[in-house]
Amino acid sequence: GILGLTVLAWGNSIGDFVANTVVARQGFPEMAISAAFGGPLFNMVFGLGMATTYANIVSFPNALVVAKPTNQSVTAFLFLSLGLIASLIVIPLTKFVIRRWYAGVLIALYLAATAFGLMAEFGVDLFGLPQRD
């Protein structure tokens, strides 16, 4: 859990960060922004879709059992939702120009998400939900 929140997440994002920075500096900022959102979105949709399909095939004919929400999953969902909704509102309002202040907001949101994620991982009861086994 802790490695996934920190070292592995950073290591997995470095390649995208470098590639998107190079593309933006070559004069294609729209393509870099699209890649920053589209790449992880594709990975999540495709990865979760394939995993869920596999789990359904393996559990057939029984129903697929989904785990109850935990502090970790609710924390991740809330911060992901907050970041996406904020971007959905702020980016069109700024005429699709990402300002430095908004980058600072997203960095602060990331730091808060990491802090709350670590708190949930260490057993702090954030939402009155059970801990992951």
Side-chain angles (χ1 to χ4, degrees):
I2 296 169
L3 280 175
L5 280 170
T6 55
V7 177
L8 295 177
W10 299 330
N12 191 39
S13 300
I14 289 174
D16 287 339
F17 173 72
V18 171
N20 293 342
T21 302
V22 168
V23 168
R25 287 187 177 172
Q26 288 180 346
F28 302 101
E30 296 89 358
M31 187 184 301
I33 292 169
S34 297
F37 284 95
L41 180 64
F42 172 77
N43 291 340
M44 290 295 284
V45 169
F46 186 74
L48 285 175
M50 293 298 289
T52 305
T53 301
Y54 175 76
N56 275 309
I57 290 169
V58 170
S59 69
F60 185 80
N62 299 323
L64 178 63
V65 179
V66 179
K68 294 180 181 177
T70 63
N71 281 314
Q72 293 90 335
S73 61
V74 171
T75 301
F77 175 77
L78 288 176
F79 277 101
L80 174 64
S81 299
L82 184 61
L84 291 176
I85 291 169
S87 293
L88 186 65
I89 293 169
V90 171
I91 292 173
L93 287 176
T94 59
K95 296 183 178 21
F96 297 92
V97 176
I98 308 293
R99 308 281 182 201
R100 286 187 187 268
W101 66 265
Y102 188 60
V105 167
L106 290 177
I107 290 170
L109 185 64
Y110 167 75
L111 293 173
T114 301
F116 277 87
L118 288 171
M119 287 170 31
E121 191 66 34
F122 283 123
V124 175
D125 190 10
L126 299 170
F127 306 106
L129 297 168
Q131 294 294 312
R132 188 174 19 172
D133 294 331

